[in-house]
Amino acid sequence: MVHIVGAGCGAPDLITVRGARLIGAADVIIYAGSLVNPALLDYRKEGCQVFNSARMTLDQVMEVIKESNDERKDIVRLHTGDPCLYGAIREQMDRLEDLGIPYEYCPGVSSFSGAAAALKAEYTLPDVSQSVIITRMAGRTPVPERESIKSFASHHATMVIFLSTGMTEKVQEELLAGGYSEDTPAAIVYKATWPDQKVVRCTCGTLHQAAVENDLHNLALITVGDFLGSDYDFSKLYDPSFSTAFRKADE
């Protein structure tokens, strides 16, 4: 069996209980060494083989999986965060299907959740933003024009931008061109939940300057929106005048 496991956003104790158990039972671990905290390998059992996929191609990863499966070994494919976001797992799952190798998928804590924790923020606030746009800047890997930063910025929703801190000048340009104001709050979160986590608060108009001054060019998320401000309305959920299925409103 192959287990595709989300490693979480950095801190080794933020992996799920299931994920830690699967790592502990694995005979072979293939982990994304460029992003996954190596401390997570401390969960492995003695004698477990470990491969760093940062130095491997897809074909090489699949070769290890096939050979290990033929030897009836349990395999963990350890991806950063929750691999449903920019995890490149679809191509692996399709290969596993073609090879007839059984697999399961164990979700993890995404770095965008870790970033919210680092910011002590809530992405969705009443009368501020009820939507979160998770996206990335076009680079060597293109992005459809209809999904450009500029296009999404027109919604003025909360935005979390992955894989783009090396292009903050262009990101800033797109955010402003799309409709965010210069003073819209923004923040760059470097390595959320890791020991060397860093949070830099700025605005859409000072985003690039903040990245340059703090030498942030990779391993960080960019968050944008008025959720980072101080103005919002209280939720109706706990309003004494609001009835729910579990509580009647006060008379």
Side-chain angles (χ1 to χ4, degrees), residues 88-146:
I89 60 167
R90 173 62 187 272
E91 60 208 50
Q92 297 173 72
M93 293 189 293
D94 285 348
R95 289 279 194 97
L96 293 171
E97 294 276 1
D98 291 343
L99 292 168
I101 297 175
Y103 67 92
E104 291 182 347
Y105 175 1
C106 174
V109 179
S110 172
S111 57
F112 91 92
S113 298
L119 291 163
K120 295 182 173 63
E122 181 181 349
Y123 289 135
T124 53
L125 293 172
D127 287 339
V128 175
S129 175
Q130 291 294 293
S131 302
V132 182
I133 296 170
I134 297 172
T135 190
R136 55 178 288 275
M137 188 73 194
R140 288 194 299 171
T141 303
V143 170
E145 179 58 35
R146 66 182 181 278

Side-chain angles (χ1 to χ4, degrees), residues 53-83:
S53 64
R55 303 188 183 99
M56 302 165 73
T57 65
L58 175 60
D59 286 341
Q60 290 171 330
V61 168
M62 297 311 302
E63 182 179 349
V64 170
I65 289 176
K66 185 178 185 308
E67 289 178 359
S68 301
N69 182 73
D70 289 345
E71 295 170 2
R72 303 187 65 80
K73 293 179 178 179
D74 279 328
I75 305 150
V76 163
R77 180 68 174 104
L78 191 60
H79 282 266
T80 186
D82 188 317

Side-chain angles (χ1 to χ4, degrees), residues 20-21 42 44 50 69 107 148-149 153 158-159 191 218 222 232:
R21 177 177 57 79
D42 291 344
R44 74 188 186 277
V50 177
N69 182 73
S148 67
I149 299 288
T158 296
M159 192 178 293
K191 295 182 74 171
N218 61 10
I222 299 167
Y232 68 98

Side-chain angles (χ1 to χ4, degrees), residues 165 168-169 172 188 190 198-203 205-218:
T165 42
T168 49
E169 186 171 16
Q172 176 175 319
I188 306 171
Y190 171 78
K198 186 173 186 178
V199 174
V200 176
R201 295 178 184 268
C202 54
T203 66
T206 61
L207 176 66
H208 178 59
Q209 177 185 350
V212 171
E213 289 179 350
N214 290 277
D215 193 28
L216 299 176
H217 51 82
N218 61 10

Side-chain angles (χ1 to χ4, degrees), residues 168-187:
T168 49
E169 186 171 16
K170 185 63 175 176
V171 172
Q172 176 175 319
E173 179 184 313
E174 290 279 292
L175 290 171
L176 296 176
Y180 285 114
S181 65
E182 292 262 353
D183 60 357
T184 299

Side-chain angles (χ1 to χ4, degrees), residues 5 8 18 47 80 90 104 128 151 161-162 164 238:
V5 176
R18 181 186 298 179
T80 186
R90 173 62 187 272
E104 291 182 347
V128 175
S151 172
I161 307 171
F162 281 66
S164 303
Y238 301 110

